[in-house]
């Protein structure tokens, strides 16, 4: 228990971000550079393999900021996202986070505290092994801290790519540096990670793709 608590504190410290006044309208204007991927339903990325880009409308603002900071620092290795994040200052990241947290909120229906579909015994064992709910919440839609992502209903193929990226080492172009998540994913085979990703994607959640014109 002490080891888990220490791990959680370390993770929260890693994701800690300064508190800035957030301006949703400025965030909406800044999001014009994001909608070409995140505002197009079914849009796919080909790096590091083909997968749907993540849904970020309805995501926690604090997590969006932490992610952008990680891309800017190179802790998350993705050439396109690093270039975009590297052009943003802390205020612009905060504004983007605030905008996407509320973007499409009117489309969100109340999500029950208990997942609509219970996992199989095998998948439940995998989730329990990693203590996934201890950070992402019992329904995987209400994390214990905004620095952690909502993952219920996220695209399964994206979840799999993201999970696998934490286990990649010594690659200058691919991977994510996070000691906690790296330790977690190393416990699983690719098939097991896929089982978890498929289940998490099947759950009801707040995440959405809010369709927007590229030319608004």
């Amino acid at each position: 228990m002490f080891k888990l608590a220490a791990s959680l504190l370390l993770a929260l410290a890693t994701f800690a971000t300064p508190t800035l006044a957030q301006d949703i309208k400025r965030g909406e204007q800044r999001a014009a550079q994001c909608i070409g991927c995140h505002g197009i339903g079914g849009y796919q990325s080909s790096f590091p393999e083909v997968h749907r880009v993540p849904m970020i409308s309805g995501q926690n603002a604090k997590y969006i900021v932490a992610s952008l900071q990680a891309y800017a620092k190179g802790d998350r290795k993705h050439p396109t996202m690093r270039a975009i994040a590297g052009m943003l200052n802390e205020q612009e990241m905060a504004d983007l986070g605030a905008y996407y947290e509320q973007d499409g909120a009117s489309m969100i229906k109340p999500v029950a505290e208990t997942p609509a579909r219970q996992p199989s015994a095998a998948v439940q064992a995998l989730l329990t092994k990693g203590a996934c709910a201890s950070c992402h919440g019992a329904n995987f839609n209400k994390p214990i801290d905004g620095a952690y992502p909502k993952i219920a209903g996220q695209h399964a193929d994206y979840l799999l790519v993201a999970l696998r990226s934490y286990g990649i080492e010594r690659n200058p172009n691919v991977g994510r540096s996070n000691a906690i998540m790296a330790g977690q994913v190393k416990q699983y085979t690719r098939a097991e990670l896929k089982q978890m990703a498929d289940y998490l994607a099947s759950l009801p959640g707040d995440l959405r793709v809010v369709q927007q014109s590229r030319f608004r």
Side-chain angles (χ1 to χ4, degrees), residues 115-174:
R117 182 172 76 83
Q118 294 299 313
S120 66
V123 170
Q124 183 60 64
L126 294 174
L127 295 168
T128 300
K129 179 181 179 180
C132 303
S134 65
C135 291
H136 298 286
N139 58 4
F140 303 99
N141 191 60
K142 295 185 184 302
I144 63 169
D145 186 272
Y148 298 118
K150 299 176 183 180
I151 53 178
Q154 184 60 271
H155 298 310
D157 52 355
Y158 166 74
L159 286 174
L160 179 58
V161 168
L163 286 169
R164 291 181 62 219
S165 71
Y166 288 111
I168 297 174
E169 300 178 333
R170 294 183 292 276
N171 187 316
N173 301 309
V174 182

Side-chain angles (χ1 to χ4, degrees), residues 34 36 49 53 76 105 108 112-113 120 124 128 130 137 162 188 191 216:
C34 309
E49 57 190 79
V53 299
R76 287 192 177 189
I108 297 173
E113 291 298 321
S120 66
Q124 183 60 64
T128 300
Y188 304 104
R216 67 175 183 175

Side-chain angles (χ1 to χ4, degrees), residues 46-213:
S46 59
F47 180 89
E49 57 190 79
V50 176
H51 66 279
R52 284 167 292 180
V53 299
M55 293 181 280
I56 58 176
S57 291
Q59 186 59 272
N60 294 322
K62 190 174 178 181
Y63 171 72
I64 289 177
V65 172
S67 298
L68 289 170
Q69 290 175 334
Y71 283 120
K73 292 189 297 182
D75 289 341
R76 287 192 177 189
K77 300 177 178 67
H78 189 289
T80 301
M81 284 303 305
R82 183 169 191 181
I84 291 172
M87 294 187 293
L88 302 173
N89 59 40
E90 294 296 312
Q91 184 63 65
E92 290 168 333
M93 291 181 183
D95 293 343
L96 270 173
Y99 169 68
Y100 273 111
E101 183 172 81
Q102 65 81 46
D103 187 34
S106 63
M107 302 163 56
I108 297 173
K109 298 178 181 179
V111 176
E113 291 298 321
T114 301
R117 182 172 76 83
Q118 294 299 313
S120 66
V123 170
Q124 183 60 64
L126 294 174
L127 295 168
T128 300
K129 179 181 179 180
C132 303
S134 65
C135 291
H136 298 286
N139 58 4
F140 303 99
N141 191 60
K142 295 185 184 302
I144 63 169
D145 186 272
Y148 298 118
K150 299 176 183 180
I151 53 178
Q154 184 60 271
H155 298 310
D157 52 355
Y158 166 74
L159 286 174
L160 179 58
V161 168
L163 286 169
R164 291 181 62 219
S165 71
Y166 288 111
I168 297 174
E169 300 178 333
R170 294 183 292 276
N171 187 316
N173 301 309
V174 182
R176 295 184 179 186
S177 300
N178 181 291
I180 303 301
M181 286 302 299
Q184 293 285 57
V185 300
K186 288 178 181 178
Q187 305 178 83
Y188 304 104
T189 65
R190 174 169 179 156
E192 289 173 333
L193 291 175
K194 186 177 187 306
Q195 288 181 62
M196 291 191 291
D198 287 344
Y199 170 69
L200 293 168
S202 76
L203 300 178
D206 293 345
L207 302 177
R208 297 288 184 275
V209 176
V210 179
Q211 297 270 79
Q212 299 181 64
S213 169

